[in-house]
Amino acid sequence: MSRLTVFLVLALIFGVSTQTYAQGDENGVGHLRILNRDHANWKQIDDFSVLLDWGFYSEPIDLRFRIGNLPEESKTEFLIFPWSHLDSVQVCDLKEENCVQAGFGHPVDEWLIPGIFPVFPLRKFLEHSSEINVRIQSRNYILSEVRLVSAEELYSITTLYSAIMFSLLAVVIVQIAYLLNSYFRLRSKWILYQILFSFGMALTFLFVSGIASRYLFPGFGFPLSLGKKIMIGYLIISGTLWVSHFLKIRQNFKPIWYFYNAVNCISGILIVLSFTPFPRLFISRSFTILYLAVTGIAIVLSIIAMKRKTIQTRWFVMSMFSLLAIEILNIISYKTYFSFDGKSFLFFMGFFVPINIFLTSRVVRTRIRELEFEIALRRKELENFQNGIMENQSDPSGEKRKSTIIGINVEETLARLNRLLDEDKIYMEEELRISDLAAVLGLSVHQVSELLNQVLNISFPDLLKKYRIEEAKRIIANNPSVNILNLAFSVGFQSKSSFYDSFKKYTGLTPQEFRKTFLPDSDEEPET
């Protein structure tokens, strides 16, 4: 059985299991009625629950409920607000003499019954009247169920919900452990940013579900309406960094790299605004637009990279599509997946989250295999080179000839050289000399020369030309209308003739002929 099948089976089990809690012990519970006459913002779901739908409304909302037909022998009826992000909930008796507060704006330790959502025992409020007053307030979107449950049903809901959240959290932790191991082996930045993204997913599970407030920080009041915005902003920032380094956007799609940097700056500003009275509706919609833009562009760029065969992105495309599907379903089906229907919410989390984790894990695994293959080839070249040194310790006259790179860590030096070339693009400096490169690497000129010629089988001038031509090819592919002469100077060449000769040598085409492959019907204008 494949890993994908395993994840699908687990997701199905999660989805089916969510059907169990809603049965409850309805024969042992009374009925719940809301007495407010205005039906625009609430709906009676059944005899035991009411849906409150006020949208973005930051002012306090006062409601009155009637609790009827409670079994006289039972003392365990509860009023709960499941899966809500309410900052504050206050329940009082009719005379406002006996009041209890909960909600995530208050420390969970101060709740009468600490939990992962607000819970209120009803008997203490119903001694003199069957009616109670409820005041709710939240800066987040108010779409919350108020439900009357028995102790058995409360235990069932809480246990199942916590079990599913902890299971998803465990999957994310396993993924993070795998990524940490990969990072310490390969030291690639994109793996580090993937770790930060996965860490953000774990924090989202903890805070948005209420588990962090209940078990980790019970003495600290942290509104989920604020935590949700911080987590979304964090995921956008870490996600753009991961995508940028994985797809090498700075090298291959520079305008998009600038756009992603702007998105990160805007996300940081929106996170700061979340701590202020700034309208939460604007912040929420802005985050949604940024999320869709970043994810959609990532899909397009990954498809382009896949067609160019510069990187294997099949799993990456599917993972981005899954993230896009999550947000689209969140937008068009908010009241289905994040409302009073807890079964839909748990199924949504139990199905999509494991699927996305599986796909992103496959992305990492595929890329790591590519890197490991490249490293294996480099090690084989190094081994062959070292064997050659041992065989050629003496020249034809019988005198011993000592290698200048014996004693240095060749593998580490090559890794540093690759970072200078791939990430810092040191080859684009027009007057770069081998002595400059030697100084950066902390080696002598002779050591760098031997390293290039004997290990990489390339001279320093040819190395610069090769990388400069590759950079020119990328620029032409992204912007076929670029001026050829300006391009030559921008990638590090000091003359047009040198650029043309090198381009012809490494591609077999002139720059204009290469450009025609991207603009086959365009008429070339003469370059000066």
Side-chain angles (χ1 to χ4, degrees), residues 352-371:
F352 279 101
V353 172
I355 291 298
N356 181 257
I357 291 176
F358 168 78
L359 292 173
T360 53
S361 297
R362 293 291 298 184
V363 171
V364 174
R365 183 180 179 185
T366 301
R367 184 66 182 131
I368 286 176
R369 283 183 173 179
E370 291 177 354
L371 293 175

Side-chain angles (χ1 to χ4, degrees), residues 226-240:
L226 174 60
K228 183 178 180 182
K229 299 298 176 289
I230 295 175
M231 290 300 102
I232 292 174
Y234 174 88
L235 287 175
I236 290 176
I237 293 173
S238 59
T240 55

Side-chain angles (χ1 to χ4, degrees), residues 14 38 170 183 194 210 214 220 385 387 390 413 507 512 528:
F14 283 147
D38 185 5
Y183 175 73
Q194 171 66 26
R214 171 65 181 92
F220 179 68
F385 168 69
N387 291 336
M390 299 301 296
T413 302
T507 66
Q512 284 83 359
T528 60

Side-chain angles (χ1 to χ4, degrees), residues 109-121:
D109 278 349
E110 297 180 4
W111 297 9
L112 184 62
I113 301 179
I116 56 178
F117 45 72
V119 178
F120 300 89

Side-chain angles (χ1 to χ4, degrees), residues 372-388 411 414 454-455 457:
E372 288 178 337
F373 179 73
E374 293 175 6
I375 291 174
L377 288 178
R378 292 289 178 87
R379 286 178 175 171
K380 184 65 176 177
E381 292 175 355
L382 178 60
E383 181 181 346
N384 293 336
F385 168 69
Q386 291 174 335
N387 291 336
E411 185 175 345
L414 289 176
Q454 299 298 327
V455 178
N457 295 317

Side-chain angles (χ1 to χ4, degrees), residues 294-434:
V294 168
T295 309
I297 291 174
I299 292 174
V300 173
L301 296 185
S302 58
I303 292 175
I304 293 174
M306 186 165 55
K307 288 184 176 180
R308 293 180 181 177
K309 297 182 179 180
T310 57
I311 189 173
Q312 294 294 326
T313 58
R314 180 185 59 175
W315 292 105
F316 183 82
V317 171
M318 288 191 288
S319 69
M320 290 296 104
F321 267 117
S322 70
L323 290 175
L324 189 63
I326 290 174
E327 184 61 20
I328 291 176
L329 287 175
N330 181 22
I331 294 171
I332 66 177
S333 306
Y334 188 89
K335 294 182 181 181
T336 300
Y337 290 99
F338 289 96
S339 65
F340 58 91
D341 191 352
K343 294 177 292 184
S344 297
F345 171 77
L346 294 180
F347 177 79
F348 181 86
M349 296 294 292
F351 184 82
F352 279 101
V353 172
I355 291 298
N356 181 257
I357 291 176
F358 168 78
L359 292 173
T360 53
S361 297
R362 293 291 298 184
V363 171
V364 174
R365 183 180 179 185
T366 301
R367 184 66 182 131
I368 286 176
R369 283 183 173 179
E370 291 177 354
L371 293 175
E372 288 178 337
F373 179 73
E374 293 175 6
I375 291 174
L377 288 178
R378 292 289 178 87
R379 286 178 175 171
K380 184 65 176 177
E381 292 175 355
L382 178 60
E383 181 181 346
N384 293 336
F385 168 69
Q386 291 174 335
N387 291 336
I389 291 178
M390 299 301 296
E391 294 174 358
N392 296 282
Q393 286 294 310
S394 298
D395 59 20
S397 63
E399 297 179 358
K400 290 187 176 180
R401 184 177 56 195
K402 185 176 181 180
S403 171
T404 61
I405 63 174
I406 291 179
I408 70 172
N409 190 327
V410 177
E411 185 175 345
E412 181 180 342
T413 302
L414 289 176
R416 291 171 57 199
L417 176 61
N418 287 331
R419 285 195 294 270
L420 289 171
L421 294 170
D422 295 333
E423 299 179 13
D424 299 334
K425 296 188 176 182
I426 194 174
Y427 54 84
M428 295 183 70
E429 298 182 17
E430 288 185 12
E431 299 182 357
L432 181 68
R433 298 169 297 178
I434 191 170

Side-chain angles (χ1 to χ4, degrees), residues 232-252:
I232 292 174
Y234 174 88
L235 287 175
I236 290 176
I237 293 173
S238 59
T240 55
L241 292 173
W242 168 45
V243 170
S244 296
H245 284 78
F246 182 81
L247 295 177
K248 299 181 179 180
I249 290 179
R250 183 176 182 180
Q251 294 92 330
N252 299 320

